[in-house]
Amino acid sequence: MPGRILSSSFHFIHFSLFLFTAIIPSDSLTVPSDIAALQAFKASIEPSTIPPWSCLASWNFSTDPCSIPRRANFLCGLSCSPDSTRITSLALDSVGYSGTLSPVVSTLAKLEILDLSDNSFYGIIPPSLSSLSLLKTFSLHRNSFSGSFPRSIVNLKSLEELDISGNFLAGSLPNTLFSLSSLRRLDLSFNKFTGSLPKMPPNLLELVAKANSLSGPISKTSFVGLTQLEVVDLSCNSFAGVLRSWFFQLPSLQQVNLSNNSLTGLQIWKPNSGYSELVAVDLGFNQIEGYVPVNLSDYPTLSSLSMRYNRLRGPIPWQFGKKGTLKRLYLDGNYLIGKPPAGLLSGNPLVAGSLSYNCLQGCPASTQLCSPSQKPTAVCKQAYGGRNPRSS
Ligand SMILES: *[C@@H]1O[C@H](CO)[C@@H](O)[C@H](O)[C@H]1NC(C)=O
Ligand SMILES: *[C@@H]1O[C@H](CO)[C@@H](O)[C@H](O)[C@H]1NC(C)=O
Ligand SMILES: *[C@@H]1O[C@H](CO)[C@@H](O)[C@H](O)[C@H]1NC(C)=O
Ligand SMILES: *[C@@H]1O[C@H](CO)[C@@H](O)[C@H](O)[C@H]1NC(C)=O
């Protein structure tokens, strides 16, 4: 029966074609070195910290990590290149994975995103990561990494976002940090970094390094050429000295938080050609001496200012009473004298904030800005060399 033979050989051919197509693509999927790197990455995480519902629990290497659709395995935590051969993103869920970061991850040569934030990784940040030349986003936010800032990271020429906040990293920041030429956002907050602020990368938009032990002056050499810098938060460190006039003239500056440092003086010039995008300034809890900087009233978009708990003297500049953009003003805990500008106490809408605990006159405790009270006369007299500043 020729027909029958034909039919079964057709089935045979069909079957082998099926096998063929089932096997060949898996050969052309994820490159073996990327699979090996993922295996090493998972192997360095303590199995007891991998919950059954998590991304990592679905990483079962009996199938190819980049094969799609993903039905049971590799459900999340990674992305592949469009041709399904290379890993481009390793972004874990935040479920408390604990372990070290395997240095073998550095062989994922096409990796653009490495995000392990909000887990419990510990140990050092492997220096070998410097070979990830396409890496754009690197976040280790809130883990338990220790050791120093990995010097080799400064070689990551594609890096746009580096967030190593909330770890136990210590030591000084590398002097070569500025060579991160693509970096837009840098967050070093809540670590134990010490020493001075080095020269910053030229294309930075956001510099955040709150709650470390950084010290020394805030010097122009760290910020030279940073024409795009919008956000600076260096609060809760030990920066000292006088903040000079160049700082507030950085052309793109919008938000500045230098509170809880040891600054002793402040020099603020009018904005260059009247132009500035500055919106919020927090210089509270320093040791700044001198007068409230009247030139701040010339910043056209300034809406929030705190200089609370410093050593400011003299009157509140009358220009602040006419500054319509001002929504929040905290000048409490200084030695300010005289009468607050009328516009502050009676403006509509009212400026929020506090002028309490100064040496002001005509600041009725019944108003929100002046409550609960001013400093006792004895304290004010002492600050003004024995002369009662309220009786002039
Ligand atoms: C991985 O998948 C294979 C095949 O589906 C299964 O036999 C094996 O138990 C899985 N391994 C783990 C660790 O879940
Ligand atoms: C400035 O930083 C301090 C400490 O980190 C924080 O408490 C404060 O709210 C910040 N100021 C503004 C205006 O966000
Ligand atoms: C800032 O310093 C003041 C005074 O030392 C302190 O009360 C406050 O808690 C500090 N703020 C932060 C956010 O550490
Ligand atoms: C205000 O700024 C100008 C330059 O713009 C400067 O000459 C002047 O000294 C500043 N005033 C104060 C009180 O700092």
Side-chain angles (χ1 to χ4, degrees):
M1 295 232 180
R4 239 177 146 160
I5 292 164
L6 200 67
S7 148
S8 64
S9 65
F10 173 76
H11 276 127
F12 177 74
I13 290 165
H14 189 78
F15 183 60
S16 19
L17 262 179
F18 171 73
L19 269 183
F20 194 69
T21 50
I23 289 164
I24 290 304
S26 74
D27 282 346
S28 68
L29 285 178
T30 319
V31 299
S33 60
D34 276 17
I35 297 180
L38 293 179
Q39 281 172 324
F41 174 76
K42 184 172 176 180
S44 64
I45 296 166
E46 290 156 25
S48 64
T49 66
I50 303 180
W53 62 84
S54 65
C55 288
L56 267 191
S58 76
W59 289 19
N60 180 331
F61 292 92
S62 67
T63 55
D64 189 284
C66 290
S67 72
I68 39 176
R70 297 194 165 110
R71 294 215 173 80
N73 299 339
F74 297 103
L75 293 177
C76 52
L78 52 79
S79 313
C80 299
S81 55
D83 66 357
S84 296
T85 61
R86 304 304 304 256
I87 307 297
T88 55
S89 161
L90 189 51
L92 287 188
D93 42 350
S94 310
V95 296
Y97 300 122
S98 179
T100 58
L101 174 54
S102 168
V104 182
V105 165
S106 62
T107 60
L108 295 170
K110 302 290 178 189
L111 202 65
E112 293 175 15
I113 298 173
L114 178 54
D115 184 350
L116 308 179
S117 47
D118 293 290
N119 281 295
S120 299
F121 283 86
Y122 57 86
I124 62 158
I125 302 173
S128 60
L129 296 184
S130 61
S131 62
L132 296 174
S133 60
L134 301 181
L135 197 66
K136 285 187 185 152
T137 303
F138 185 22
S139 177
L140 302 177
H141 170 70
R142 288 211 283 184
N143 278 278
S144 299
F145 285 100
S146 56
S148 57
F149 188 106
R151 297 299 190 260
S152 63
I153 281 187
V154 304
N155 298 320
L156 294 173
K157 293 289 176 265
S158 304
L159 199 61
E160 293 171 7
E161 184 172 341
L162 176 61
D163 184 346
I164 51 177
S165 63
N167 284 284
F168 301 106
L169 300 166
S172 60
L173 300 172
N175 284 328
T176 46
L177 199 65
F178 67 90
S179 57
L180 285 168
S181 49
S182 301
L183 201 67
R184 311 295 273 167
R185 193 174 161 264
L186 175 63
D187 195 339
L188 307 170
S189 304
F190 299 103
N191 277 292
K192 297 170 172 177
F193 290 121
T194 52
S196 58
L197 202 64
K199 185 167 160 49
M200 287 291 133
N203 290 307
L204 215 53
L205 297 185
E206 217 176 305
L207 168 62
V208 184
K210 69 163 67 184
N212 279 282
S213 299
L214 297 167
S215 59
I218 293 180
S219 74
K220 191 171 179 177
T221 49
S222 304
F223 290 86
V224 74
L226 270 66
T227 54
Q228 301 166 76
L229 190 65
E230 294 175 356
V231 175
V232 177
D233 187 342
L234 299 175
S235 60
C236 302
N237 278 286
S238 301
F239 289 108
V242 177
L243 187 62
R244 299 281 171 195
S245 58
W246 59 267
F247 184 81
F248 286 98
Q249 294 196 324
L250 288 168
S252 300
L253 213 53
Q254 294 175 9
Q255 289 178 52
V256 175
N257 195 338
L258 296 171
S259 69
N260 290 65
N261 277 287
S262 302
L263 299 173
T264 51
L266 188 59
Q267 199 182 32
I268 299 186
W269 283 7
K270 295 181 197 298
N272 259 333
S273 345
Y275 181 79
S276 160
E277 297 181 6
L278 195 65
V279 173
V281 175
D282 192 340
L283 292 163
F285 300 102
N286 279 279
Q287 288 134 43
I288 298 171
E289 313 227 356
Y291 299 126
V292 177
V294 62
N295 278 342
L296 274 177
S297 64
D298 282 27
Y299 283 70
T301 50
L302 185 70
S303 85
S304 174
L305 172 65
S306 170
M307 292 190 69
R308 61 197 309 222
Y309 292 90
N310 277 285
R311 296 174 184 166
L312 299 173
R313 296 153 157 274
I316 301 172
W318 60 265
Q319 289 88 339
F320 279 54
K322 302 180 79 176
K323 184 154 180 54
T325 59
L326 206 57
K327 303 275 184 300
R328 291 154 54 87
L329 178 64
Y330 288 88
L331 295 174
D332 46 323
N334 284 287
Y335 298 93
L336 302 175
I337 56 173
K339 213 170 145 30
L344 288 181
L345 297 180
S346 62
N348 188 18
L350 281 175
V351 173
S354 179
L355 304 178
S356 68
Y357 213 57
N358 275 295
C359 300
L360 294 166
Q361 277 175 298
C363 199
S366 58
T367 61
Q368 179 255 330
L369 268 186
C370 300
S371 93
S373 63
Q374 295 294 308
K375 281 185 167 131
T377 300
V379 173
C380 292
K381 260 174 105 166
Q382 198 184 7
Y384 284 86
R387 179 176 58 87
N388 182 358
R390 292 200 179 102
S391 66
S392 51

